[in-house]
Amino acid sequence: MASIPDIPSPIATPPSKIPRLSGNYVGLEEMPFSLKKLILATEKIVVLRESTSKASADKGGGRTTGTMWYKGEVIGFTVEDAVREEKIMHITAIPDTTPPSLTDFLQDEFPDEYYKDPAALPPSTYNLVLGATNSAFISKTHYKGQGLRISSKSDPTGTNIFTEDVNAELGFQNKTRDGKELAFDGVMLHHGGNENASSGCIIFGTQRRKEGTVSSSPAEVIALNRYLQDQKIVGKGILDNLVILDLNKIPKDIPQMSGEIIDGTTGRPIPGTEVVMERLVIKPLEQVTGATDIIRPTPVSDEERLQEQMEGMSKTEARKHVKNVKKYGLDNAKFATSKLNLDETFRLILNKIKGVGSFGN
């Protein structure tokens, strides 16, 4: 974990007096390459969820801790309710915007350059918009009479988070509005210190304590609100500006591998046979040479393919899979891992060796 010892907060604008920035967090060098590139390149606010724990409702429901980034710089820390597969009222965090599977960013519309140099994760996003609230507690964080409201992409008002806009699991649908399934409404970014002050909202502070709570006062959120308005990150007509990512869902880098060719008789490295494989990039199945060998040669109907994909799934898993098929298409509902890519690379190396020995680490 990286650590910010005790420095002036980037959002502190004189004469505001807010706690200095301090706390442990996951640093850029500890992140997968795609996540690091996104955080450095995006013009959006990024909340990176680093850990989550669940508890029963009578014990607070659990806590999710995160770090808030802007243009590659930490601007504060966050606390939310626990991340859950099924929504429990008042103790569940809003869905993240992490692509639900690698296939989301391995589609045909992404250029060939992606496979040579992986681009940043293409995020789904929320709207972070200005708006007032009737809550006397949250209204303490208003700046120029406006608080920070959160809505999904199809709602510019900062009121509704619709299931179809975000990666909401089954069980998040508690009601409908405007003909759409509603996952959450009335979500805001405000103060509070820990998850007990939240009912799906994001709690912000400039200092993170060891147990994951934050030093969250109205002044800190007012400073953030002012900073975001001054930087033109939020304001009239500005949408699509908040990304919430789950670190545990981000694909890990495939490490660069190297080794020597081992003499099968002596068990020793053969001098001058050092091999270095370039960093492998995960590719869609159809782009892997030889992958057609395992693809069913006989055309089948979409219904048969769907039944085959759902074979062995539980009822809940099958329902989720059908939902993904509707959203991402039959071909992209399941992702082929990089195993074929690895097998192909090793096979090419071994063919060149022609029986001299085996490839060692």
Side-chain angles (χ1 to χ4, degrees):
M1 296 285 284
S3 178
I4 298 176
D6 186 22
I7 62 174
S9 171
I11 65 173
T13 305
S16 67
K17 295 181 180 180
I18 62 174
R20 293 163 67 89
L21 194 66
S22 66
N24 296 328
Y25 66 103
V26 175
L28 289 170
E29 298 308 315
E30 302 170 83
M31 298 177 187
F33 176 76
S34 56
L35 176 58
K36 176 181 176 180
K37 191 166 185 178
L38 169 64
I39 288 177
L40 290 172
T42 186
E43 298 287 327
K44 308 174 194 296
I45 293 294
V46 177
V47 172
L48 179 63
R49 290 173 175 169
E50 298 164 342
S51 67
T52 188
S53 61
K54 299 176 185 176
S56 59
D58 61 329
K59 294 183 179 180
R63 173 180 302 155
T64 298
T65 61
T67 299
M68 183 176 288
W69 296 79
Y70 179 61
K71 290 186 175 180
E73 184 176 33
V74 175
I75 60 175
F77 304 99
T78 60
V79 174
E80 301 174 76
D81 292 305
V83 174
R84 302 178 188 276
E85 292 185 357
E86 293 194 11
K87 180 179 178 181
I88 301 177
M89 190 66 71
H90 304 307
I91 58 171
T92 304
I94 62 176
D96 61 71
T97 57
T98 312
S101 71
L102 295 181
T103 39
D104 277 19
F105 56 95
L106 291 178
Q107 303 289 333
D108 291 339
E109 63 263 28
F110 287 87
D112 291 339
E113 285 72 18
Y114 173 84
Y115 302 106
K116 300 174 184 176
D117 181 15
L121 286 167
S124 171
T125 53
Y126 281 107
N127 301 320
L128 184 62
V129 302
L130 299 174
T133 175
N134 294 325
S135 167
F137 177 77
I138 299 177
S139 63
K140 295 176 183 178
T141 64
H142 285 184
Y143 174 66
K144 295 182 178 179
Q146 302 287 294
L148 296 169
R149 305 185 66 90
I150 299 172
S151 63
S152 59
K153 290 185 71 172
S154 66
D155 178 26
T157 68
T159 303
N160 306 303
I161 296 177
F162 292 115
T163 301
E164 65 182 41
D165 290 338
V166 294
N167 302 324
E169 301 284 355
L170 296 175
F172 272 74
Q173 305 93 321
N174 54 1
K175 55 185 174 181
T176 61
R177 182 170 293 160
D178 299 328
K180 299 179 180 180
E181 292 177 340
L182 187 66
F184 286 83
D185 62 351
V187 175
M188 299 192 71
L189 194 158
H190 60 85
H191 66 305
N194 60 43
E195 67 279 3
N196 293 328
S198 171
S199 182
C201 295
I202 297 178
I203 307 302
F204 174 85
T206 56
Q207 293 187 344
R208 172 180 284 165
R209 303 187 178 98
K210 290 183 179 180
E211 69 276 14
T213 61
V214 294
S215 61
S216 186
S217 65
E220 291 167 74
V221 182
I222 290 173
L224 174 66
N225 193 337
R226 178 178 179 178
Y227 174 82
L228 296 179
Q229 292 191 49
D230 290 346
Q231 295 291 320
K232 308 293 186 200
I233 306 167
V234 300
K236 186 176 180 180
I238 301 176
L239 304 171
D240 191 24
N241 52 359
L242 173 64
V243 180
I244 301 177
L245 298 175
D246 187 330
L247 180 62
N248 293 320
K249 294 182 181 179
I250 306 298
K252 304 298 186 290
D253 294 335
I254 301 177
Q256 188 178 56
M257 290 177 281
S258 61
E260 299 172 298
I261 297 174
I262 306 299
D263 189 305
T265 303
T266 65
R268 297 179 180 178
I270 300 175
T273 61
E274 291 79 8
V275 178
V276 177
M277 296 196 304
E278 295 298 325
R279 185 180 298 275
L280 298 176
V281 179
I282 298 173
K283 297 181 180 180
L285 186 63
E286 62 271 14
Q287 293 196 12
V288 180
T289 303
T292 53
D293 294 341
I294 67 166
I295 298 176
R296 183 191 297 273
T298 305
V300 294
S301 67
D302 287 347
E303 183 178 353
E304 290 175 315
R305 293 172 60 201
L306 180 58
Q307 289 177 348
E308 183 179 349
Q309 289 181 0
M310 293 193 300
E311 185 176 350
M313 292 184 181
S314 66
K315 184 178 293 186
T316 299
E317 290 171 338
R319 290 174 63 198
K320 290 181 180 180
H321 183 64
V322 170
K323 183 178 178 182
N324 281 337
V325 169
K326 291 179 179 178
K327 189 171 183 180
Y328 304 108
L330 191 60
D331 292 329
N332 299 322
K334 279 193 170 184
F335 180 72
T337 67
S338 62
K339 182 178 184 299
L340 283 172
N341 203 11
L342 287 168
D343 288 345
E344 177 191 22
T345 304
F346 279 111
R347 186 169 63 251
L348 291 174
I349 292 174
L350 291 174
N351 285 342
K352 290 181 180 179
I353 296 172
K354 294 182 179 179
V356 173
S358 58
F359 186 78
N361 293 324

